[in-house]
Amino acid sequence: MMAAPVVMPDQNVKLSKLSSNIAHTADDSRESMTSTGMFFLMDRLMGENKYRSGMIIAPFGGIPQRPKTREELLIEGAMESCTFKTTISCVLGFALGGAFGLFTAGLDPSITGTDAKQQTAKEVVKEMGKRGMSYAKNFAVVGAMFAGTECVLESHRGVSDWKNGTLSGAITGGVIGLRAGVKPGLLGAAGFAVFSTLIDYFLR
């Protein structure tokens, strides 16, 4: 068997000094890195290279994004407001109701069928326009009421879930049905609530 190497006292001193130098070098490196990071951070916050509006920010693990301007934030806030949502729903409901009214008027035998009284083309178009306008108004009112109620409920509850659609459907159907009485109002509330819940379930 080979004998273990004998370490002389001078070698022990040299090894101790070498270890001490390595430790000091590591400490200096960490301190230098920390100081560099602090200087960089202070320079970005208060120095000549400080952050300015419009600079591109590169988040960790994401795509670099430019911060939104004041105008963009105002437009985004306006589009998410209840007034905007109610107005859009009213306009879309008016257009959809008008198209649906014209379609049903074209299928109505009392207007365009063989049993209809003799009418000129102008009278037929006039009747179809009345039907389309009536449907358009009704759809616009329903769309505005539903969207406005849902937005108010969502803002009040602070939660976006299926309950908002169900409650707004019940309120809208109940208000519309109350014009014909209490029982039609209850039936309208139940019908609109079920319909809204199903639509929300399939869309989500």
Side-chain angles (χ1 to χ4, degrees):
M1 296 179 57
M2 297 181 60
V6 179
V7 180
M8 301 300 293
D10 293 339
Q11 291 180 341
N12 288 332
V13 173
K14 291 181 179 180
L15 289 175
S16 177
K17 290 182 178 180
L18 180 60
S19 300
S20 177
N21 291 335
I22 293 176
H24 284 301
T25 302
D27 292 338
D28 293 340
S29 299
R30 285 194 295 268
E31 184 177 356
S32 176
M33 293 176 63
T34 304
S35 301
T36 303
M38 289 297 297
F39 281 129
F40 176 78
L41 180 61
M42 297 297 292
D43 185 52
R44 298 298 289 176
L45 293 176
M46 297 184 299
E48 296 180 355
N49 298 320
K50 68 178 181 179
Y51 170 80
R52 294 177 177 83
S53 177
M55 296 179 64
I56 296 178
I57 300 176
F60 293 102
I63 301 175
Q65 297 179 359
R66 179 180 61 82
K68 296 181 180 179
T69 62
R70 182 173 178 271
E71 291 76 13
E72 291 175 342
L73 293 175
L74 289 175
I75 294 175
E76 183 177 341
M79 294 182 66
E80 293 179 354
S81 65
C82 293
T83 303
F84 181 81
K85 293 179 179 180
T86 303
T87 304
I88 290 297
S89 298
C90 182
V91 173
L92 294 178
F94 187 87
L96 180 62
F100 188 73
L102 292 176
F103 176 75
T104 55
L107 299 178
D108 191 350
S110 64
I111 298 178
T112 59
T114 56
D115 297 335
K117 64 179 182 179
Q118 293 296 326
Q119 301 181 85
T120 63
K122 184 177 180 180
E123 292 176 342
V124 172
V125 172
K126 187 177 180 180
E127 289 293 330
M128 294 178 67
K130 288 182 179 179
R131 177 76 64 86
M133 183 58 66
S134 176
Y135 274 74
K137 291 179 180 179
N138 292 332
F139 273 63
V141 170
V142 172
M145 288 181 61
F146 182 86
T149 307
E150 185 180 24
C151 184
V152 171
L153 288 173
E154 182 177 343
S155 300
H156 177 72
R157 297 180 64 236
V159 181
S160 178
D161 55 10
W162 60 272
K163 294 180 182 179
N164 296 326
T166 303
L167 292 174
S168 58
I171 294 173
T172 303
V175 172
I176 294 174
L178 280 177
R179 295 184 299 177
V182 177
K183 186 176 180 180
L186 295 176
L187 293 176
F192 267 76
V194 172
F195 180 76
S196 301
T197 304
L198 292 177
I199 293 298
D200 194 63
Y201 173 77
F202 285 109
L203 290 180
R204 288 179 184 271

